[in-house]
């Protein structure tokens, strides 16, 4: 036992503190040299990162916390430029010295070179994509504006592409007078704006009911709402026309007035055909609007309703006082969507109207109106002979919608962001 203790003490005595410290220093030197090598390889990347970081931090602090003065910001920028100059390697130097680099350096400089190339190429590529898409979308409007202010003779001139040789405004005044545009605009506003307002109100109430209340057959009824989005309007348009041509609710009108209206009321050529569809959530794209309101109301906190109930508000009062103010942007978004679809609709309106009493219906038969205006009520020729007046009429039909959107575009964009189709 004593021998083992003696050997243990001997071995312990051989490892002196000086030796231990020497070994620690050697390991520390090895770790430091490895870190130094790694730092040298990543110097370029560190400089680029520091460039972005220093500028971002300094700008944020200057704007938000106001920590740095202008003099300190200049000093930081000076330091950044010095680091960039010290560690920056140009693209030409990377290509020239690429063969002499090690594997780690090659990997690093490939990343640096690729990022620099992408930073230069991507903006150009993005501009080409956006410009191409914008041109495809805006081409009809550019063509419309170009044709609306040129004489009809220049439509067949191959030397004219976009800018007419003769700029005239008589086409617009001719269409204005031929269509009696002020009266046509007022009638369109009376039909379309009222229908849109009624549709927004009824769709909002329906969407709120689907979002907040539980009742029997809720899933089946919401499935019918989805069918409104899926089923084309052409399938149900003829039954709708028959319903409004011989409008009679459960035969009540025929019983009340059997001699005057034995087959019910004739609501064609009347805005009530569109008003009633909007009131009963069956207007143009009504299913989509119900879905938008449902998704928005589902995103509002339930605590708002609980607090209103504690204050004595009923369901209807809660909807009017709490939900409607919070859903202002969604109301504006749905109203603009509805107004645009009603404004541009000629298929559904044309089924219930036999006269061109709205801008959309008038635009669909504009060449007939123009040719009759110039030939004492008798339409002559073909549509291509009246192209410049047709394009001027199309431009007049778009101006009111563009004005409305110009005033409401901020609320429209906010409503699109907040009414996201999520949480289904």
């Amino acid at each position: 036992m004593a021998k083992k203790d003696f050997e243990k003490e001997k071995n312990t005595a051989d490892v002196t503190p000086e030796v231990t410290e020497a070994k620690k220093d050697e390991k520390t030197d090895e770790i430091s040299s490895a870190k130094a090598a790694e730092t040298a390889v990543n110097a370029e990347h560190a400089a680029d990162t520091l460039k972005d970081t220093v500028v971002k931090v300094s700008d944020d602090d200057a704007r938000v916390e106001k920590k740095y003065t202008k003099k300190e910001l200049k000093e930081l920028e000076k330091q950044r430029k010095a680091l960039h100059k010290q560690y920056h390697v140009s693209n030409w130097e990377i290509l020239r010295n690429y063969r002499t680099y090690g594997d780690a350096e090659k990997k690093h400089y490939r990343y640096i070179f690729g990022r620099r190339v992408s930073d230069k190429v991507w903006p150009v590529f993005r501009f080409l994509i956006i410009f191409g898409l914008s041109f495809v979308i805006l081409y009809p409007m550019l063509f419309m504006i170009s044709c609306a202010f040129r004489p009809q003779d220049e439509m067949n001139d191959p030397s004219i592409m976009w800018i007419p040789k003769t700029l005239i405004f008589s086409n617009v005044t001719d269409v204005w007078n031929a269509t009696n545009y002020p009266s046509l605009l007022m009638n369109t506003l009376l039909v379309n704006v009222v229908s849109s307002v009624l549709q927004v109100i009824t769709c909002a109430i329906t969407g709120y009911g689907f979002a907040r209340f539980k009742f029997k057959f809720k899933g089946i009824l919401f499935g019918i709402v989805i069918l409104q989005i899926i089923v084309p309007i052409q399938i149900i348009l003829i039954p709708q026309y028959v319903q409004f041509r011989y409008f009679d609710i459960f035969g009540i009108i025929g019983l009340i007035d059997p001699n005057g209206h034995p087959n019910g009321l004739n609501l064609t050529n009347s805005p009530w055909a569109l008003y009633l569809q909007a009131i009963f959530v069956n207007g143009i794209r009504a299913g989509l609007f119900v879905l938008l309101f449902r998704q928005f109301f589902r995103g509002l906190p339930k605590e708002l309703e609980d607090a209103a109930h504690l204050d004595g508000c009923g369901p209807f009062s809660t909807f009017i006082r709490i939900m409607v103010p919070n859903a202002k942007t969604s109301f504006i978004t749905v109203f603009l969507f509805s107004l645009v679809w009603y404004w541009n609709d000629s298929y559904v309106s044309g089924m219930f109207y036999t006269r061109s009493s709205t801008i959309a219906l008038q635009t669909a038969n504009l060449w007939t109106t123009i040719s009759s205006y110039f030939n004492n009520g008798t339409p002559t020729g073909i549509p291509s002979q009246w192209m410049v007046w047709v394009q001027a009429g199309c431009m007049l039909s778009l101006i009111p919608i563009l004005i409305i959107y110009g005033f409401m575009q901020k609320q429209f964009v906010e409503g699109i962001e907040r009414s996201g189709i999520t949480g289904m």
Side-chain angles (χ1 to χ4, degrees):
M1 187 72 181
K3 185 178 181 181
K4 290 182 179 180
D5 294 338
F6 175 76
E7 291 178 353
K8 183 177 180 179
E9 292 177 359
K10 183 179 180 181
N11 293 332
T12 305
D14 292 340
V15 183
T16 59
E18 290 80 2
V19 175
T20 303
E21 291 296 331
K23 290 182 178 180
K24 287 183 179 181
D25 293 339
E26 290 178 359
K27 291 182 179 181
T28 303
D29 294 338
E30 291 177 358
I31 294 172
S32 300
S33 59
K35 289 184 177 180
E38 183 179 357
T39 303
V41 171
N42 296 322
E44 177 69 19
H45 183 239
D48 292 340
T49 304
L50 183 61
K51 171 185 175 181
D52 298 334
T53 304
V54 170
V55 173
K56 184 176 180 181
V57 170
S58 62
D59 290 345
D60 291 344
D61 289 341
R63 287 194 301 266
V64 182
E65 299 180 2
K66 296 182 180 179
K67 183 178 180 180
Y68 296 114
T69 62
K70 291 184 178 180
K71 184 177 181 181
E72 291 172 337
L73 288 175
K74 288 182 179 180
E75 185 64 26
L76 288 173
E77 181 65 17
K78 186 176 180 181
Q79 294 177 7
R80 184 195 65 78
K81 289 182 178 180
L83 289 173
H84 181 75
K85 184 176 180 181
Q86 180 180 357
Y87 295 111
H88 179 73
V89 179
S90 65
N91 293 337
W92 171 247
E93 292 177 349
I94 293 174
L95 294 175
R96 185 180 59 186
N97 302 323
Y98 184 76
R99 294 183 178 180
T100 62
Y101 295 148
D103 293 338
E105 291 177 319
K106 286 183 178 180
K107 182 179 179 181
H108 169 70
Y109 284 117
R110 278 199 303 267
Y111 168 76
I112 294 295
F113 186 79
R115 193 178 67 174
R116 289 177 180 174
V117 172
S118 64
D119 289 344
K120 300 293 184 183
V121 174
W122 171 241
V124 178
F125 186 66
R126 181 177 55 194
F127 169 78
L128 294 176
I129 293 176
I130 295 175
F131 180 80
L133 293 175
S134 300
F135 183 78
V136 170
I137 295 171
L138 296 177
Y139 175 81
M141 295 190 66
L142 296 175
F143 179 79
M144 175 187 66
I145 296 172
S146 176
C147 294
F149 298 103
R150 71 171 68 176
Q152 177 64 31
D153 298 338
E154 295 187 4
M155 289 299 298
N156 299 321
D157 190 346
S159 63
I160 298 175
M161 292 297 294
W162 293 103
I163 302 176
K165 295 179 180 178
T166 305
L167 191 66
I168 61 174
F169 297 92
S170 60
N171 298 333
V172 178
T173 57
D174 291 337
V175 174
W176 184 285
N177 296 326
T179 60
N180 192 11
Y181 187 77
S183 176
L184 183 67
L185 178 61
M186 289 302 298
N187 190 57
T188 304
L189 292 174
L190 180 65
V191 174
N192 294 340
V193 173
V194 174
S195 297
S196 299
V197 171
L198 291 173
Q199 182 159 264
V200 168
I201 295 172
T202 55
C203 289
I205 296 173
T206 307
Y208 178 69
F210 279 116
R212 292 304 196 188
F213 296 98
K214 295 181 180 180
F215 48 88
K216 290 184 178 181
F217 309 113
K218 177 180 176 181
I220 297 175
L221 292 175
F222 188 71
I224 295 174
V225 172
I226 299 300
L227 283 177
Q228 283 187 286
I229 305 174
I230 298 174
V231 175
I233 189 63
Q234 291 83 354
I235 294 177
I236 62 173
L237 195 56
I238 293 177
Q240 279 185 339
Y241 173 80
V242 174
Q243 181 181 15
F244 289 104
R245 173 61 182 83
Y246 306 101
F247 187 77
D248 192 356
I249 302 175
F250 303 114
I252 297 175
I253 296 176
L255 291 174
I256 295 174
D257 189 8
N259 296 324
H261 302 92
N263 297 320
L265 297 175
N266 182 9
L267 296 183
T268 58
N269 289 315
S270 169
W272 280 101
L274 299 178
Y275 292 169
L276 289 174
Q277 293 183 56
I279 290 172
F280 290 100
V281 200
N282 197 31
I284 299 175
R285 303 294 193 279
L288 177 61
F289 301 146
V290 171
L291 178 62
L292 284 173
F293 277 118
R294 173 183 176 268
Q295 296 306 115
F296 179 81
F297 287 128
R298 286 185 64 182
L300 293 178
K302 184 68 174 176
E303 289 75 13
L304 292 174
E305 291 174 297
D306 296 338
H309 293 161
L310 291 175
D311 291 338
C313 292
F316 186 75
S317 180
T318 301
F319 175 74
I320 296 297
R321 295 184 178 183
I322 305 300
M323 293 301 171
V324 172
N326 283 284
K328 181 180 68 174
T329 54
S330 293
F331 274 88
I332 293 175
T333 301
V334 173
F335 172 74
L336 286 177
F337 273 131
S338 179
L339 180 61
V340 168
W341 271 315
Y342 269 105
W343 192 277
N344 295 328
D345 173 69
S346 61
Y347 187 82
V348 176
S349 302
M351 181 62 72
F352 298 106
Y353 284 90
T354 58
R355 298 186 298 269
S356 300
S357 55
T358 63
I359 285 179
L361 295 175
Q362 186 66 260
T363 304
N365 301 311
L366 189 57
W367 81 272
T368 304
T369 304
I370 294 296
S371 61
S372 301
Y373 175 76
F374 283 105
N375 293 283
N376 299 322
T378 303
T380 59
I382 58 177
S384 60
Q385 295 177 351
W386 310 97
M387 181 61 68
V388 294
W389 290 278
V390 171
Q391 298 299 326
C394 293
M395 186 180 67
L396 285 177
S397 69
L398 290 177
I399 289 176
I401 288 293
L402 293 177
I403 293 174
I404 294 173
Y405 178 76
F407 282 104
M408 297 184 175
Q409 63 173 345
K410 182 179 179 180
Q411 293 82 358
F412 177 75
V413 174
E414 291 178 357
I416 290 293
E417 293 176 351
R418 297 184 61 186
S419 63
I421 309 297
T422 57
M424 295 178 64

